[in-house]
Amino acid sequence: MRIAVLKTGSAPRHIRETHGDFEDLFEGLLGQSGQQWEVYDAEHDELPDMNEGHTAYLVTGSPASMTESPPWILNLLELIRQIHATQRTLLGICFGHQALARALGGVVRRNPQGEDIGTTSLTWTPSAKKIPALDLAPQPLRILEVHEDNVSSLPPGALHLAFSARTPHEIFALGDHTLGL
């Protein structure tokens, strides 16, 4: 399995010094023997070609704002649309979650309640019962968050899986191949 990590920024220096950067954290958390992880610097417009044979894609977090539209973000959004259209596995985390939503027809805005920093409890929606693997997830699920923007409207056809007190759309799925959290 070849996994393309679309790196959209770097973790804060103190995190990088202790735990590594985003690609290190995700490979350590999600990686399995036999996988090939390849990092692309999406923030500097380095994106994989769709013909390179990747079976899965991961879009990382970023200090950038998904409410802005520099060329590298627009190019990333187009690639996300292409990946989703081919039904390859696509995971977006934090900024990546917002990028998936925006690319696929959702809306991302600054959170009117301000920045979300700290540990947050997510509440599963009734739709989460449609995904058997989520039965194993804690109720409620507690996560660490740092973001100013949020997905205020999901893409058409998205399955809304979780929300929090300050963020209406914390986790969503589109089909069985695209997940934003």
Side-chain angles (χ1 to χ4, degrees):
M1 177 178 250
R2 291 183 62 207
I3 299 167
V5 177
L6 308 179
K7 185 176 177 182
T8 60
S10 287
R13 183 170 39 98
H14 68 282
I15 301 283
R16 290 191 316 266
E17 290 172 354
T18 306
H19 304 287
D21 210 342
F22 288 134
E23 64 272 21
D24 306 308
L25 295 168
F26 292 127
E27 185 174 358
L29 180 66
L30 302 172
Q32 297 177 6
S33 178
Q35 293 175 335
Q36 182 180 355
W37 288 64
E38 300 168 20
V39 180
Y40 294 85
D41 188 354
E43 184 182 27
H44 294 99
D45 233 4
E46 178 187 313
L47 297 171
D49 184 283
M50 288 296 296
N51 297 318
E52 290 183 29
H54 295 101
T55 50
Y57 297 80
L58 184 148
V59 186
T60 70
S62 176
S65 174
M66 188 43 63
T67 63
E68 298 172 1
S69 297
W72 75 269
I73 288 180
L74 297 177
N75 293 336
L76 174 66
L77 297 176
E78 178 56 32
L79 179 61
I80 288 169
R81 286 188 280 276
Q82 291 173 21
I83 295 166
H84 179 72
T86 64
Q87 297 189 356
R88 294 181 195 166
T89 300
L90 177 58
L91 173 63
I93 299 174
C94 197
F95 177 90
H97 158 80
Q98 297 166 6
L100 267 59
R102 181 175 167 191
L104 302 174
V107 177
V108 177
R109 298 194 196 289
R110 290 271 189 221
N111 189 339
Q113 297 182 54
E115 202 168 29
D116 217 351
I117 300 176
T119 304
T120 302
S121 291
L122 304 189
T123 302
W124 296 105
T125 68
S127 295
K129 294 206 180 298
K130 295 179 182 177
I131 301 179
L134 293 180
D135 289 341
L136 303 173
Q139 305 278 337
L141 176 63
R142 296 192 42 82
I143 63 169
L144 181 62
E145 293 188 308
V146 178
H147 62 91
E148 294 184 75
D149 303 336
N150 69 27
V151 177
S152 59
S153 178
L154 291 172
L159 193 60
H160 182 205
L161 300 174
F163 62 92
S164 68
R166 295 174 51 89
T167 302
H169 305 106
E170 292 275 8
I171 304 175
F172 71 90
L174 269 167
D176 62 357
H177 60 280
T178 299
L179 180 67
L181 57 103

